[in-house]
Amino acid sequence: MPAIPFYTIGIFAPIFVAQFGWSFATIFGGLSLLAGAVLIVGPFFAALIDKFGPRIVASISLSCLGLSYMSLAASNGSIQQYYISWLAIAISGLGATPVVFTRVINGAFERHRGLALGIALSGAGLFAFAVKPLAQLLIETAGWRVAILVIGAMPMVIACPLVLWGFAGLQTGTPGISRTMTERQEGMSAREAFRSRQFWLLAIVFIPMSLAIAAPLPNIENILRSLDLSPREVVQLASLVGIAAVAGRLLGGVLADRFWAPAICAVILMMGALSCLILSGGQVSFSVAGVAIVLLGLTSGMEFDLMSYLVARYLGMRSYAVTYATLYGIFVVGAFVGPSLFGYVFDRTGTYSGILEACALLLVGGAAAVLFLGPYPTHRKSDSYVKSSDRL
């Protein structure tokens, strides 16, 4: 989470509109429940990660997330039932968010931390690339309910076994991983972080990032349809988001390892602003729309690993789970409430132009704000901090 609900709701939204008569705002309202759960309950799950370890928490959460998502296949027109399914997705998926995976990566790597984050988080982009044509094929051959069941099985059949295998070293003492994670305690305490200028600057930056970058993605199919592109062109362009997101994660990680991360973040936000301006046009050609989709995909691909990288560099790893979970919750508010806002605007006006132009302005403001973070701070380190020769 949020990859599974986030990248698939746009596929099924037109079907729900046609079959149940729901509005787009109502359908995307399910994502708002995810936002509330991450913001309110997310920090408590961070405490569970610290107590029981990421392997147990993530594996249980992935299994429950898959079952909860599969319950959407039972939708029968009852909006109450639909939102109950989303509430189950929201709660069960909290142990399988980037908070868990970035904590593992940030604790295990230092010199190539950005690249490691980019590689690990590129899975969401690969999923976005693969799931749209897969879902379309399943819908055409077996129906939308079967498509939901197959997608819901993915975290149980694919992700959960990989977590159980890949995170095993965190408990068994794999050299260079478990020791690094447990011994490295540099950085601010949670109380110090919440009082710091860097924390609130990051919070200010994450809000426009979430609304203007993440919110258009679930609506991307309908945004492209509004540009008078053919159904085949819409599917082709929507699938490009995943490829571009993977490239963005890897590129963002490499750049963050070599350059000042806030400057990289500012450039990325400006790329997103340009994409929103292109998509706000009444009609665009397939090639121009492709440029906008690639820019948006690159921007969305770089956001999560740069968020994690900035938190680790400016606030440290001492209270990473709590501080990142809180900032991630702030990010998710815009990312999950935004799609419903996009749907509401389209329902009322029949166009996305105005809200996309507003998103472009928000991204420009975020690009300016991130530059005020200043140079990387030097964090306090505990006596048991690992030697540089022990770092991965």
Side-chain angles (χ1 to χ4, degrees), residues 61-72 88-89 92 152-153 155-156:
S61 183
L62 284 165
S63 300
C64 295
L65 171 63
L67 291 172
S68 300
Y69 186 88
M70 293 169 77
S71 70
L72 288 172
I89 292 170
S92 63
M156 296 185 290

Side-chain angles (χ1 to χ4, degrees), residues 193-194 196-204 315 323 326-327 330:
F194 294 147
S196 68
R197 181 181 65 90
Q198 292 94 333
F199 176 88
W200 292 105
L201 268 175
L202 288 171
I204 291 172
L315 304 181
T323 54
T326 304
L327 286 167
I330 294 172

Side-chain angles (χ1 to χ4, degrees), residues 8-270:
T8 60
I9 184 60
I11 302 170
F12 299 106
I15 297 174
F16 293 154
V17 170
Q19 188 153 349
F20 302 133
W22 297 339
S23 67
F24 278 96
T26 297
I27 294 167
F28 288 116
L31 293 176
S32 302
L33 293 176
L34 271 68
V38 172
L39 183 62
I40 297 171
V41 189
F44 295 99
F45 267 76
L48 292 178
I49 297 168
D50 289 332
K51 183 175 182 180
F52 298 105
R55 185 172 184 249
I56 294 176
V57 174
S59 59
I60 294 175
S61 183
L62 284 165
S63 300
C64 295
L65 171 63
L67 291 172
S68 300
Y69 186 88
M70 293 169 77
S71 70
L72 288 172
S75 298
N76 58 7
S78 168
I79 196 63
Q80 291 83 5
Q81 179 187 0
Y82 176 75
Y83 282 150
I84 288 173
S85 293
W86 276 103
L87 185 61
I89 292 170
I91 299 298
S92 63
L94 286 175
T97 68
V99 175
V100 179
F101 303 105
T102 60
R103 179 179 182 272
V104 173
I105 296 298
N106 273 312
F109 290 85
E110 182 167 339
R111 186 196 300 180
H112 297 295
R113 178 182 288 170
L115 178 59
L117 287 167
I119 293 173
L121 295 175
S122 64
L126 292 172
F127 174 78
F129 168 69
V131 74
K132 294 179 184 295
L134 173 63
Q136 191 63 39
L137 176 63
L138 290 170
I139 291 169
E140 293 173 355
T141 57
W144 63 269
R145 297 183 193 273
V146 172
I148 289 176
L149 292 175
V150 172
I151 294 171
M154 288 181 176
M156 296 185 290
V157 176
I158 300 174
C160 183
L162 286 174
V163 163
L164 289 172
W165 168 73
F167 284 10
L170 302 179
Q171 277 74 32
T172 59
T174 298
I177 295 182
S178 60
R179 181 177 57 182
T180 306
M181 288 191 63
T182 58
E183 292 183 356
R184 184 178 302 163
Q185 298 293 330
E186 84 279 15
M188 305 178 187
S189 66
R191 178 176 296 182
E192 291 171 337
F194 294 147
R195 293 177 177 177
S196 68
R197 181 181 65 90
Q198 292 94 333
F199 176 88
W200 292 105
L201 268 175
L202 288 171
I204 291 172
V205 173
F206 288 176
I207 292 173
M209 281 178 64
S210 62
L211 179 62
I213 297 173
L217 293 177
N219 291 275
I220 198 64
E221 287 89 354
N222 209 44
I223 291 174
L224 293 171
R225 290 188 193 100
S226 70
L227 301 178
D228 293 334
L229 296 168
S230 70
R232 183 176 181 180
E233 290 174 330
V234 168
V235 173
Q236 290 175 340
L237 290 172
S239 298
L240 279 178
V241 173
I243 299 176
V246 173
R249 294 214 189 281
L250 299 177
L251 179 61
V254 171
L255 293 175
D257 285 331
R258 288 163 172 76
F259 303 101
W260 187 47
I264 304 301
C265 186
V267 172
I268 292 168
L269 293 178
M270 294 302 295

